[in-house]
Amino acid sequence: MAGSKRQQFPILKARKAPPYLLRIRSVAAKLGWLATLALFPYLFGYALEFLLGLGILPQGRDEIRFIANLSYAIVALMVFPWLLLVFLPQLVAVLLWRPRLGGTLALSHFNPIFILISVLQLLGQIAPLLRYRFRLSSPKTYRQKVDYSLPFQGVWPAANGGPDPATSHSWEIVGQRYAYDFLIVDPEGKTFRQDEGRLEDYYAFGAPVLAPADGVVVAVQDRHRDAPRPRAIDLLAWSPLGNYVLIRHAEGEYSLLAHLRRGSVRVRPGEWVRRGQVIGECGNSGNSTEPHLHFQVQDHPNFYLAASLPVRFRDWCYEEDGEWRRVEEGYPLFGDRVRNCVDALSGPPVPDSASSQTATPSLQGEGKGGE
């Protein structure tokens, strides 16, 4: 039934979250990062065994076999804490809370395409780690070249994303560490009007997606189907991004806008786009459990070889206690209801029913850097 608690938008507002919950998220993210780094001792042990099998290393050297086995033991120590304390509890929770989502999530681990995608993402992280000599960009060290605006009109909560382990989209995945997931929610906390099983009932589905800054379109995909059943993993998806637009804004800065609606992309590679130009519509394509926009800025045009970059958005607002607070430059945190400040000042309607039930609050100033 629409409006039931089970269908409420499950979001934890980071600005008001209890410290212990943020610490739990931070520890979980760091355990995930530790599990990711286990790739290196695994590859080291595998390389030793491979060289032994080819006869390049002497077969009788027991210490070489011992080092290979030791590397696998290190892998187990790095992975098991994340597996037991993070992955399995999350999977059980999803199975209990959303059986259809949990079931398809479990099945996806046996899907050859999903396995290949996971391997590509895992191996692809080696490139940025080596490129930056394990000193990845951070909010303290990165100096962005371009000013970015939020890539949508109206009010969209940040369902995922932030600049630290406690708020990050996926801290353990280098290519998505500073990514954001945005969607649309009504005053009751629902992301859909009546039927959660119907794509067209979701507020975000078909909403315009905007270029976050001036740039040149590098690549697009517009042929991927939208997953027909929300709140589930599309086992027929052949790309984690689904339909997307990739824009080059400066050397080493590419914005990626993903999970777009099939047939909605309005730009082509080589085309120059302006900030605020409509480039497509929000959809449910790729690895998406319901219509939402995945946004990130990355340092490389290849999704699998890129590192995501911690870029600040300029001149945006977030809602707090019924008032819009202005941020000259800063990072939204997951749970924030955000919009471009020009929208907050002019007060354009929020798509569909959310607009008729929410009055535009007053706008207050915020210092540079936001929170």
Side-chain angles (χ1 to χ4, degrees):
M1 295 290 294
S4 67
K5 278 190 175 181
R6 181 174 172 271
Q7 294 171 340
Q8 296 284 326
F9 178 52
I11 200 164
L12 171 67
K13 190 168 178 61
R15 296 181 194 274
K16 295 184 177 180
Y20 75 90
L21 287 178
L22 291 179
R23 282 197 292 270
I24 290 174
R25 281 182 58 99
S26 180
V27 170
K30 291 174 181 177
L31 286 176
W33 179 233
L34 184 66
T36 297
L37 293 178
L39 174 66
F40 289 93
Y42 173 80
L43 290 177
F44 178 74
Y46 183 84
L48 287 180
E49 289 197 335
F50 182 72
L51 294 175
L52 282 171
L54 292 178
I56 296 176
L57 294 178
Q59 295 284 345
R61 300 292 295 274
D62 290 339
E63 59 270 24
I64 296 177
R65 180 69 62 182
F66 173 78
I67 293 173
N69 292 335
L70 181 61
S71 67
Y72 293 140
I74 293 173
V75 169
L77 290 174
M78 296 172 76
V79 172
F80 281 172
W82 169 79
L83 188 65
L84 296 176
L85 300 178
V86 180
F87 177 76
L88 290 179
Q90 284 183 344
L91 182 59
V92 171
V94 171
L95 282 169
L96 294 175
W97 177 61
R98 293 281 184 193
R100 190 171 66 199
L101 173 59
T104 53
L105 179 63
L107 287 174
S108 70
H109 290 83
F110 301 95
N111 185 323
I113 295 177
F114 278 70
I115 293 172
L116 176 61
I117 289 171
S118 299
V119 170
L120 289 175
Q121 283 190 308
L122 191 60
L123 294 177
Q125 295 191 104
I126 297 175
L129 285 170
L130 296 179
R131 194 159 64 239
Y132 290 100
R133 300 179 183 177
F134 289 86
R135 297 177 181 177
L136 296 170
S137 298
S138 72
K140 291 183 178 180
T141 62
Y142 188 68
R143 298 294 178 263
Q144 65 194 70
K145 304 176 180 70
V146 176
D147 292 335
Y148 294 92
S149 302
L150 294 171
F152 45 77
Q153 298 170 333
V155 180
W156 294 53
N160 241 332
D164 55 32
T167 60
S168 171
H169 177 286
S170 304
W171 189 261
E172 69 279 7
I173 303 176
V174 173
Q176 300 181 59
R177 175 169 289 187
Y178 300 109
Y180 283 92
D181 287 335
F182 295 104
L183 38 66
I184 300 177
V185 178
D186 67 19
E188 296 179 355
K190 299 198 304 344
T191 56
F192 56 92
R193 298 176 188 86
Q194 298 294 331
D195 184 0
E196 69 172 335
R198 185 171 179 267
L199 276 181
E200 292 74 13
D201 254 20
Y202 282 77
Y203 298 117
F205 191 71
V209 174
L210 314 179
D214 296 351
V216 178
V217 177
V218 174
V220 303
Q221 176 57 259
D222 196 34
R223 297 181 294 105
H224 201 295
R225 79 168 190 165
D226 289 290
R229 295 288 292 175
R231 309 297 172 97
I233 299 292
D234 184 8
L235 297 177
L236 297 180
W238 44 267
S239 164
L241 301 175
N243 302 310
Y244 66 89
V245 173
L246 182 70
I247 305 172
R248 182 184 185 275
H249 302 286
E251 182 65 32
E253 284 192 8
Y254 300 81
S255 68
L256 176 68
L257 304 101
H259 306 314
L260 304 182
R261 185 178 186 176
R262 180 163 65 176
S264 74
V265 174
R266 304 185 186 182
V267 294
R268 293 293 176 262
E271 183 177 340
W272 178 265
V273 294
R274 296 288 185 183
R275 180 191 310 272
Q277 178 179 334
V278 177
I279 60 170
E281 297 174 6
C282 183
N284 194 45
S285 57
N287 189 15
S288 174
T289 57
E290 69 175 272
H292 73 283
L293 172 65
H294 177 98
F295 174 83
Q296 65 184 55
V297 176
Q298 57 194 48
D299 69 342
H300 193 281
N302 187 301
F303 172 70
Y304 296 103
L305 301 178
S308 63
L309 301 173
V311 297
R312 298 172 175 85
F313 295 97
R314 285 195 64 85
D315 202 22
W316 57 278
C317 301
Y318 69 92
E319 187 183 19
E320 186 171 50
D321 299 326
E323 296 182 334
W324 288 105
R325 302 188 180 276
R326 190 170 199 157
V327 181
E328 278 190 45
E329 184 181 65
Y331 306 97
L333 302 180
F334 79 96
D336 281 345
R337 285 168 47 85
V338 298
R339 68 193 308 175
N340 287 302
C341 279
V342 65
D343 288 348
L345 288 168
S346 59
V350 180
D352 302 310
S353 67
S355 63
S356 61
Q357 301 177 49
T358 307
T360 302
S362 61
L363 182 65
Q364 293 190 349
E366 279 284 310
K368 186 173 182 178
E371 293 295 302

